[in-house]
């Protein structure tokens, strides 16, 4: 539909500048505008407290650990508390690969299927402003893990907690690796209010979301 | 989508008498309003954000061609494709052929209002494919074979009982035997059934809340996670977006996102806010092989730079619907086309023609709440007034109104005659009301007194009372 493209662009140009240059006359010149940061919400408490408040405000939960050795006990406690079998599918990362699972666990590393109940991932970042986890798609971190299971467990390193959403963009810009196919900001479990405006968790995505915050000392 | 905006008055009357609808609207109540209020009260930066958001949009619109081209280039660089459609027909043709190329029998869909605009489901069905709506609200109204009645809560007009009945009718063939009485049961049933659809679909179509020029990303905001499953599981992901959705940078998108969820549902951010950039990378374990963006004009380039230009700033948050006394009384279907409420009353005449929707600009009390709550500072009442003005220009004023105005004009420049007549009418109405202070019927004002009483004059006009008082004062002073 190149014709439609020409027509749309010509109409825009005609209105905006009254000129009728053909497409080739206008070079694409990114960036047209320096990325400038807009107004940001502010808060009194420290960023970790803010993150926890926001996360709990959207029905997420959290455990704190101070070394990777505590991952397994934290997960065991959470799953047992909710009567969830100790099977899980997990993503890959240096932390995830290093976990020494006990024999009670059935752990697989792959993308998710519709039948998986529990998943463990590691977040690229957390956002204090909103209580969000940020996940990037990639070979180690398939997107289906974020949406198919019933129970979503996610490790967040304290050093990866940014203050505002823009902190994520800053980090991505610095890394200069380009954007992945999908960036997911995940804030609490999946929810719907489509039946009589009553909030119900677990619409299509996870019913539960639990963050394991790793403060390495 | 076919429109019934022409019969707005009749639609509205029927809506007021529809007891199920009125119950559903009652249940919805002031939920959205209260939640938005609370979110804004907790955000001292609101006015600043609103100001910045408006600037971002106006800046982008002033260089719309360049940003669209930058967006296109970035999508291409990331391995995706961009298609341009001027008309609904062009858009559906493109999408149907993309789905055919994917050998799609089943197509999952996230909520897309542009999709409604162009009649996407009908086109897919006509081509022998099965579109499956995956947003719960959209799924409910797809079962009911109805259009959405709200831009963010499409099934807001349905009561739980109605939804229970719909599921019973349509899911019996899938093995549902018990009626689903509770909200969790309904949500769970939809989750199970749609789970299969997500996995089976060959192509997935989603809308976009924003497009980002610098990265070629499309932004999708949902609470259910249905949009992400639609975008990530099938082999082909098709994004459909209107051209005014583009913003320059990720930071600009962030400003608008801070306003969007708060204005819509009072959330600071929705459960899922996702940025899609191109198809799956070589080493990715999942994600679509193909990523297409269909850019739709459908009348937007006409609005650019004309009296309705500011409407292109709309981010489809729905706040103006939630705060509109007319929408709250009649619901969305009465408006007769895709977009209801104040934003719909402005957009519909622009998209399907003023002559097809002449009553929509009248569907306003001009109370101004819509403009007050609009995060993009769109002067909705002014735009409605502009429509009324254009309508008058095109069709003139009705004879009855013309005669009434002419008579008033005649009297207004003859103050003595005017006062004499007003005196007579006042006395007459006072006499007719027999001191009860109100009138249930008045000749020539049947419409007005149909739903309320006219307070009867107290037997004297203001000027007569004033003169009497002045005379008394003068006498007292002497
Ligand atoms: S006109 Fe304003 S309030 Fe209404 S939907 Fe658009 S952005 Fe929201």
């Amino acid at each position: 539909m190149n014709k439609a493209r020409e027509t749309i662009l010509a109409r825009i140009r005609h209105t905006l500048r009254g000129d009728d240059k053909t497409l080739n006359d206008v070079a694409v010149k990114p960036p047209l505008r320096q990325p400038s940061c807009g107004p940001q919400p502010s808060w009194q408490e420290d960023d970790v407290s803010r993150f926890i408040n926001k996360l709990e405000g959207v029905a997420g939960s959290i455990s704190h650990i101070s070394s990777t050795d505590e991952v397994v006990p934290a997960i065991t406690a959470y799953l047992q508390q909710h009567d969830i079998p100790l099977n899980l599918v997990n993503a890959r990362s240096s932390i995830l690969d290093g976990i020494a699972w006990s024999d009670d666990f059935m752990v697989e590393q792959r993308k998710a299927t519709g039948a998986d109940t529990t998943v463990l991932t590691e977040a690229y970042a957390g956002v204090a402003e909103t209580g969000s986890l940020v996940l990037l798609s990639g070979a180690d971190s398939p997107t289906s893990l974020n949406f198919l299971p019933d129970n979503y467990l996610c490790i967040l390193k304290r050093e990866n907690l940014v203050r505002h959403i823009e902190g994520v963009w800053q980090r991505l810009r610095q890394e200069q690796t380009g954007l992945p196919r999908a960036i997911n900001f995940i804030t609490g479990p999946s929810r719907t209010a489509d039946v009589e405006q009553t909030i119900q968790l677990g619409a299509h995505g996870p019913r539960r979301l639990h963050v394991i915050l790793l403060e390495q000392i | 989508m076919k429109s019934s905006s022409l019969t707005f008055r009749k639609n509205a009357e029927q809506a007021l008498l529809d007891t199920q609808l009125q119950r559903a609207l009652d249940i919805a109540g002031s939920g959205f309003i209260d939640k938005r209020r609370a979110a804004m009260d907790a955000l001292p930066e609101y006015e600043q954000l609103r100001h910045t958001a408006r600037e971002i949009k106006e800046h982008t619109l002033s260089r719309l061609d360049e940003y669209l081209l930058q967006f296109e280039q970035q999508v291409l660089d990331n391995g995706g494709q961009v298609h341009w459609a001027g008309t609904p027909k062009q858009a559906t043709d493109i999408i149907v052929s993309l789905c055919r190329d994917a050998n799609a029998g089943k197509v999952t869909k996230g909520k897309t209002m542009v999709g409604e605009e162009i009649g996407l489901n009908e086109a897919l069905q006509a081509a022998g494919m099965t579109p499956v709506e995956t947003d719960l609200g959209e799924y409910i109204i797809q079962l009911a074979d109805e259009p959405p009645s709200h831009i963010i809560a499409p099934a807001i007009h349905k009561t739980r009982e109605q939804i229970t009945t719909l599921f019973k009718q349509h899911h019996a063939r899938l093995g549902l035997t018990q009626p689903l009485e509770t909200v969790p049961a309904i949500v769970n049933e939809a989750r199970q059934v749609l789970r299969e659809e997500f996995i089976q679909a060959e192509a997935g179509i989603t809308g976009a809340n924003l497009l980002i020029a610098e990265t070629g990303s499309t932004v999708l905001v949902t609470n259910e996670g249905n949009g992400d499953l639609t975008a990530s599981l099938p082999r082909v992901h098709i994004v459909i977006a209107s051209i005014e959705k583009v913003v320059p940078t990720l930071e600009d998108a962030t400003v608008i996102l801070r306003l969007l969820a708060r204005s819509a549902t009072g959330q600071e951010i929705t459960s899922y806010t996702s940025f899609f950039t191109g198809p799956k990378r070589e080493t990715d374990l999942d994600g679509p092989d193909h990523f297409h963006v269909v850019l739709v004009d459908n009348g937007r380039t006409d609005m650019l730079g004309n009296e309705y230009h500011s409407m292109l700033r709309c981010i489809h948050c729905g706040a103006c619907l939630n705060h509109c006394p007319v929408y709250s009384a009649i619901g969305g279907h009465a408006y007769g086309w895709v977009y209801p409420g104040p934003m719909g009353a402005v957009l519909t005449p622009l998209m399907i023609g003023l002559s097809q929707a002449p009553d929509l600009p009248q569907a306003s009390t001009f109370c101004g709440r819509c403009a007050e709550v609009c995060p993009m500072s769109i002067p909705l009442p002014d735009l409605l007034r502009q429509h009324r003005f254009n309508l008058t220009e095109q069709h003139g004023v009705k004879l009855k109104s013309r005669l009434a105005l002419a008579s008033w004009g005649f009297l207004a420049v003859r103050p003595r005659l005017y006062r004499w007549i007003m005196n007579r009418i006042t006395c007459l109405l006072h006499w007719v009301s027999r001191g009860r202070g109100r009138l249930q019927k008045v000749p020539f004002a049947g419409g007005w007194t149909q739903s309320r009483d006219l307070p009867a004059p107290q037997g004297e006009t203001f000027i007569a009372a004033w003169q009497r008082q002045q005379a008394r004062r003068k006498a007292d002073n002497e």
Side-chain angles (χ1 to χ4, degrees):
Chain A
M1 282 287 160
N2 268 330
K3 183 105 182 309
R5 179 175 184 268
E6 295 276 346
T7 314
I8 292 170
L9 291 169
R11 292 177 64 117
I12 295 172
R13 269 186 207 133
H14 184 76
T15 310
L16 294 181
R17 293 189 280 282
D19 64 12
D20 290 304
K21 282 186 200 157
T22 56
L23 280 187
N24 301 334
D25 300 337
V26 179
V28 191
K29 37 181 188 308
L32 296 170
R33 189 161 165 269
Q34 278 306 313
S36 66
C37 179
Q40 296 173 318
S42 50
W43 53 85
Q44 305 292 317
E45 73 256 70
D46 63 281
D47 287 357
V48 172
S49 310
R50 165 89 179 189
F51 176 78
I52 297 170
N53 285 341
K54 291 294 153 188
L55 175 73
E56 291 180 341
V58 292
S61 56
I62 190 158
S63 14
H64 300 259
I65 57 172
S66 48
S67 86
T68 46
D69 297 343
E70 295 169 46
V71 172
V72 176
I75 289 179
T76 312
Y78 181 81
L79 294 181
Q80 282 175 348
Q81 185 196 339
H82 291 95
D83 239 347
I84 302 165
L86 303 185
N87 301 339
L88 48 90
V89 180
N90 91 23
R92 310 193 54 152
S93 75
S94 55
I95 291 185
L96 292 169
D97 290 351
I99 298 175
W101 295 101
S102 66
D103 291 344
D104 305 333
F105 277 89
M106 261 253 312
V107 178
E108 296 171 80
Q109 277 186 328
R110 52 169 169 80
K111 65 178 181 174
T113 71
D116 294 326
T117 51
T118 307
V119 151
L120 174 66
T121 62
E122 185 191 336
Y124 171 74
V127 183
E129 175 186 353
T130 51
S132 310
L133 297 166
V134 183
L135 276 290
L136 309 185
S137 65
D140 295 335
S141 160
T143 308
S144 52
L145 292 179
N146 302 335
F147 297 97
L148 282 171
D150 282 352
N151 310 298
Y152 189 69
L153 311 178
C154 184
I155 298 176
L156 171 64
K157 277 201 270 185
R158 166 68 184 88
E159 68 207 57
N160 288 336
L161 182 68
V162 300
R163 203 168 152 74
H164 291 103
I165 295 171
E166 285 88 346
V168 179
W169 309 142
Q170 230 171 20
R171 217 176 118 191
L172 283 166
R173 284 187 207 283
Q174 272 160 14
E175 287 167 0
Q176 289 192 332
T177 43
L179 297 191
R181 180 192 74 83
I183 304 173
N184 300 124
F185 283 73
I186 301 175
T187 316
S190 148
R191 60 177 63 214
T192 181
D194 274 340
V195 183
E196 292 190 339
Q197 274 61 63
T198 310
I199 289 175
Q200 174 65 37
L201 299 183
H204 292 296
R207 300 169 194 272
R208 292 196 183 86
L209 179 142
H210 186 73
V211 176
I212 298 151
L213 185 67
L214 173 60
E215 305 234 22
Q216 249 154 350
I217 309 154
Chain B
M1 183 178 140
K2 249 186 83 209
S3 113
S4 65
S5 302
L6 207 47
T7 54
F8 173 74
R9 276 166 203 267
K10 210 176 89 226
N11 305 349
E13 271 167 37
Q14 281 168 356
L16 288 169
L17 297 173
D18 182 338
T19 47
Q20 292 271 15
L21 171 65
Q22 290 302 322
R23 221 171 75 71
L25 290 172
D26 268 358
I27 291 168
S30 61
F32 280 133
I33 298 180
D34 302 341
K35 286 182 189 145
R36 176 192 168 276
R37 183 73 269 150
M40 296 315 179
D41 285 347
L43 183 75
E45 297 81 5
Y46 173 59
E47 283 304 330
Q48 260 173 292
L49 278 162
R50 198 183 190 199
H51 179 80
T52 311
R54 178 191 171 141
E55 278 191 338
I56 289 169
K57 266 293 190 182
E58 283 304 333
H59 166 85
T60 317
L61 290 170
S62 76
R63 304 175 78 163
L64 185 58
D65 50 341
E66 294 176 22
Y67 284 118
L68 285 171
L69 286 175
Q70 191 190 5
F71 172 78
E72 179 185 49
Q73 192 57 53
Q74 289 301 317
V75 174
L76 291 174
D77 289 353
N78 282 295
Q81 283 181 53
V82 177
H83 312 261
W84 302 67
T87 62
K89 173 87 171 62
Q90 285 171 0
T92 51
D93 283 352
I94 293 166
I95 296 174
V96 164
S97 91
L98 290 175
C99 291
R100 277 223 181 95
D101 292 346
N103 276 323
K106 208 166 255 179
V107 181
T108 41
K109 281 184 69 209
K111 201 169 88 60
T112 149
M113 294 309 291
V114 190
E116 299 287 336
E117 242 179 65
I118 64 169
L120 183 53
N121 284 359
E122 293 80 354
L124 290 171
Q125 271 159 352
M129 291 173 252
T130 313
V132 182
E133 295 290 352
T134 61
D135 171 82
L136 179 58
E138 290 282 345
Y139 181 68
I140 291 167
I141 59 169
Q142 191 180 30
L143 293 182
D145 195 18
E146 286 173 16
S149 72
H150 190 293
I151 57 175
I152 62 154
I156 197 167
H157 61 288
K158 289 270 179 245
T159 61
R160 198 182 62 218
E161 290 77 20
Q162 286 175 306
I163 298 169
T164 301
T165 312
L166 278 171
F167 273 66
K168 212 170 117 204
Q169 277 167 11
H170 293 270
H171 284 195
R173 68 182 169 85
L174 303 172
L176 180 72
T177 49
Q178 298 292 317
L180 305 163
E181 306 284 1
T182 62
V183 177
I186 292 170
V187 173
N188 215 21
E189 168 74 9
R191 178 186 173 101
Q192 305 304 339
V193 169
L194 288 170
R195 183 54 66 105
E196 286 312 306
E197 308 283 14
F198 283 125
I199 292 168
Q200 285 169 16
E202 288 88 1
I205 302 176
T206 66
N209 296 86
L210 294 162
L211 307 172
I212 299 173
E214 66 165 343
T215 58
S217 312
T218 72
V219 185
L220 189 63
V221 165
T222 75
N223 276 315
E224 298 183 3
N226 65 309
D228 290 279
L229 288 167
T230 306
S232 299
L233 297 190
R235 269 180 295 114
V236 179
H237 178 200
I238 303 168
V239 179
I240 170 167
S242 48
I243 52 173
E244 85 288 2
K245 294 270 187 238
V246 69
V247 293
T249 65
L250 290 162
E251 282 77 1
D252 293 327
T254 307
V255 169
I256 291 176
L257 287 171
R258 286 199 177 105
L259 291 167
L260 177 58
R262 285 181 174 91
S263 301
T265 55
Q267 291 171 283
E268 291 183 11
I269 189 170
T270 51
S271 304
Y272 302 110
T273 298
S274 299
F275 297 71
F276 301 115
T277 315
K280 88 185 232 199
R281 311 295 190 251
E282 221 173 296
T283 53
D284 283 1
L285 299 185
D286 58 14
D289 297 327
H290 302 281
F291 177 75
H292 298 276
V293 183
V294 183
L295 294 174
V296 181
D297 178 354
N298 198 23
R300 269 104 180 155
T301 47
D302 288 333
M303 288 157 66
L304 199 65
N306 79 5
E307 313 92 295
Y308 302 100
H309 175 90
S310 56
M311 200 59 215
L312 292 170
R313 296 201 296 261
C314 178
I315 54 171
H316 290 211
C317 71
C320 57
L321 281 64
N322 301 334
H323 290 76
C324 176
V326 178
Y327 179 90
S328 309
I330 61 175
H333 285 163
Y335 289 81
W337 199 60
V338 178
Y339 299 110
M343 56 88 79
V346 173
L347 274 177
T348 306
L350 295 174
M351 291 189 165
I352 66 172
L354 191 52
S355 63
Q356 291 304 304
D359 287 329
L360 289 192
Q362 320 293 333
S364 168
T365 62
F366 280 0
C367 69
R369 280 171 92 191
C370 50
E372 222 171 274
V373 298
C374 175
M376 302 307 287
S377 313
I378 300 172
L380 292 151
D382 293 350
L383 301 181
L384 288 173
R385 197 174 293 114
Q386 183 65 41
H387 272 321
R388 292 189 187 181
F389 182 79
N390 293 352
L391 201 66
T392 313
E393 290 266 284
Q394 280 167 27
H395 299 279
V397 181
K398 280 196 201 126
L399 184 64
K400 215 165 110 186
S401 320
R402 256 200 341 252
L403 279 177
L405 284 172
S407 339
W408 187 83
F410 177 82
L411 291 175
V413 294
R414 293 170 178 78
R416 276 159 180 273
L417 184 61
Y418 186 93
R419 251 175 260 160
W420 186 81
I421 290 188
M422 286 317 283
N423 244 320
R424 296 296 103 184
I425 295 179
T426 312
C427 290
L428 183 71
L429 288 178
H430 179 64
W431 180 74
V432 173
S433 80
R434 295 198 188 86
R436 266 173 302 149
R438 62 196 152 79
L439 291 157
Q440 279 165 357
K441 266 200 191 116
V442 180
F444 306 118
W448 206 89
T449 51
Q450 197 178 17
S451 53
R452 50 209 184 298
D453 291 348
L454 179 74
Q458 299 303 304
E460 204 177 21
T461 62
F462 171 76
I463 291 191
W466 176 258
Q467 279 171 347
R468 191 163 46 75
Q469 205 190 44
Q470 289 300 91
R472 187 157 20 110
R473 235 181 238 169
K474 211 167 144 201
D476 286 353
N477 285 347
E478 280 166 10

